[in-house]
Amino acid sequence: MLAATNLASQLSHENLGCVLFFCSAEYDLGRLGIALEHVFDGVRVSGCTSAGEITPEGYGRGCITAIGFDRRYFSIDCALISELESFTLQDAQGVIDGLLSTCRDAHLAPIKGNTFAITLLDGLSSREELVLATLNAALGTIPQFGGSAGDDERLANTHVFFDGQFHTGAATVMLVNTPLDFRVFSTHHMKARNEKLVVTHADAKSRTVYELNAEPAAEAYARAVGVTVDELDRKVFALRPMGVRIGGHYFVRSVQRVNADKSLTFYCAVETGIVMTAMEPASLLDSVRTQIEASERVVGPPLVTIGCDCFLRRLEAELTGVVDEVSDFLRHHKVIGFNTYGEQFDGMHINQTFTGVVIGQPDAGYSHN
């Protein structure tokens, strides 16, 4: 109740139309949900649990960070997708059409060019790819980004919040229509090495790879990254992921864990036949700085940047001693967001990226009628 009241005292004003929050899984979620509904009575509240928070003070842990949207500049509607297993294109079309009609009714800005979607998914559902591809088809040209909910690296239960309650095995879609300038972006800092690993035996449903190059997956991966199987841990996964090349770009596939049978379970889609490339990090901060500064050149000084930052990137920043520097950068550029178990960008589910939207200030580049 104290946390919710504190948030409300900072965010509440007569034009508050919607609140988006990210919270540590350490909270008593049942009670937190009730408290948030109580203090933001009549305001749409959406959010998810995290594996670390990005706050106005930079990186946080064990806390809640939130953004309040002013209805004079933002028309927002949200929907819950609770049946991830059976989500069809027809379902997606229905969800998006409903959200679009709410945004149109506010008459703030034309839909085309002034609308983006934020998706938050249960980070342990293993259904991100299917749901995202389906939603992306329904969204058409509307840009979309988001993150998979975390639970402070426990890998036990991740939740999205909708309509006063935390839900597992679910997703939320938030459609944002605004006359303000914005730019949706995604970036990663991993570069390809020479080692290639072919997935020769995998179970796509559980995202588990049993064999790489026709040998036990953990053995082939450990050799490619220069460690023993026993040394494979979160640190190695963060600093030595693998990538899949799609259309000239590498998309990172991060390992979640090594299993007893020397198979590897991933945070992202894997299937038999794909070729993985060993990756290594370049400068973590430079890649984010380049994207955010490029966005600011387009939209002007930011009102806010909403960021979905893979928890493995934060772990890398801590391991390599740049976490304070990264945290300072995020604070200076008004980034609010969370550390995720996977990011989403235009219908794709990706890992070890920093993905988000930079939103410009009112009156920065247009005259408001």
Side-chain angles (χ1 to χ4, degrees):
M1 196 68 204
L2 197 62
T5 309
N6 195 327
L7 272 186
S9 70
Q10 296 178 59
L11 295 178
S12 290
H13 61 90
E14 59 180 349
N15 293 303
L16 182 65
C18 179
V19 171
L20 174 63
F21 75 89
F22 308 106
C23 74
S24 162
E26 290 172 22
Y27 285 94
D28 178 328
L29 298 180
R31 287 170 62 197
L32 179 62
I34 294 165
L36 288 169
E37 278 297 284
H38 177 70
V39 298
F40 291 114
D41 189 33
V43 173
R44 172 56 64 82
V45 181
S46 183
C48 69
T49 54
S50 59
E53 300 75 50
I54 306 172
T55 80
E57 309 293 300
Y59 277 140
R61 278 216 193 279
C63 60
I64 306 183
T65 185
I67 303 164
F69 292 92
D70 186 322
R71 65 167 69 92
R72 293 170 298 178
Y73 298 106
F74 297 94
S75 170
I76 297 178
D77 198 10
C78 309
L80 179 74
I81 302 167
S82 52
E83 300 294 325
L84 298 185
E85 297 282 342
S86 55
F87 189 63
T88 66
L89 184 55
Q90 201 175 353
D91 297 333
Q93 208 71 62
V95 167
I96 300 303
D97 287 350
L99 299 179
L100 282 170
S101 71
T102 306
C103 291
R104 279 197 193 96
D105 290 347
H107 301 295
L108 275 187
I111 294 297
K112 191 171 168 52
N114 298 290
T115 308
F116 61 88
I118 303 175
T119 48
L120 300 174
L121 280 99
D122 177 338
L124 299 174
S125 67
S126 301
R127 287 292 165 270
E128 290 98 330
E129 285 81 12
L130 174 76
V131 172
L132 288 169
T134 309
L135 271 177
N136 199 48
L139 283 164
T141 59
I142 295 171
Q144 167 267 326
F145 78 94
S148 298
D151 65 347
D152 302 303
E153 299 180 44
R154 295 179 201 154
L155 302 178
N157 279 299
T158 59
H159 297 78
V160 297
F161 184 84
F162 178 83
D163 223 7
Q165 281 182 305
F166 284 93
H167 303 262
T168 54
T172 60
V173 187
M174 177 185 267
L175 202 65
V176 180
N177 174 250
T178 177
L180 305 181
D181 288 336
F182 63 83
R183 181 171 181 260
V184 176
F185 69 91
S186 180
T187 181
H188 75 79
H189 65 299
M190 293 289 168
K191 53 183 199 272
R193 290 161 53 103
N194 295 325
E195 298 87 353
K196 300 280 184 217
L197 297 155
V198 181
V199 178
T200 44
H201 179 203
D203 175 36
K205 193 167 163 46
S206 65
R207 297 178 177 165
T208 300
V209 173
Y210 295 97
E211 287 180 7
L212 288 167
N213 296 350
E215 63 175 312
E219 289 177 11
Y221 170 56
R223 187 179 320 110
V225 300
V227 299
T228 66
V229 172
D230 291 341
E231 289 172 310
L232 291 175
D233 60 7
R234 288 162 58 241
K235 182 175 176 177
V236 176
F237 303 155
L239 299 177
R240 291 285 183 268
M242 288 175 271
V244 178
R245 193 177 168 123
I246 305 169
H249 295 280
Y250 283 98
F251 293 92
V252 179
R253 294 286 181 262
S254 304
V255 179
Q256 187 185 94
R257 64 177 185 269
V258 179
N259 302 310
D261 61 0
K262 292 192 178 172
S263 64
L264 300 172
T265 298
F266 284 76
Y267 278 105
C268 217
V270 285
E271 53 207 48
T272 304
I274 61 171
V275 179
M276 299 222 214
T277 302
M279 310 286 282
E280 65 185 7
S283 166
L284 185 139
L285 188 53
D286 284 355
S287 64
V288 177
R289 181 182 281 124
T290 302
Q291 276 296 337
I292 289 188
E293 288 178 354
S295 302
E296 289 172 358
R297 282 195 291 277
V298 176
V299 308
L303 177 67
V304 68
T305 291
I306 305 172
C308 300
D309 182 23
C310 182
F311 85 100
L312 290 166
R313 288 171 58 91
R314 177 161 174 178
L315 176 65
E316 181 193 324
E318 288 165 353
L319 292 168
T320 55
V322 298
V323 71
D324 291 343
E325 200 184 338
V326 175
S327 191
D328 282 348
F329 177 83
L330 298 175
R331 186 170 48 110
H332 283 299
H333 290 266
K334 298 189 176 174
V335 181
I336 301 289
F338 73 117
N339 296 113
T340 71
Y341 284 171
E343 305 75 56
Q344 301 139 28
F345 183 67
D346 284 352
M348 280 194 306
H349 179 231
I350 45 189
N351 289 142
Q352 279 181 252
T353 70
F354 189 101
T355 298
V357 63
V358 180
I359 302 173
Q361 297 187 15
D363 305 320
Y366 70 95
S367 57
H368 193 63
N369 303 333

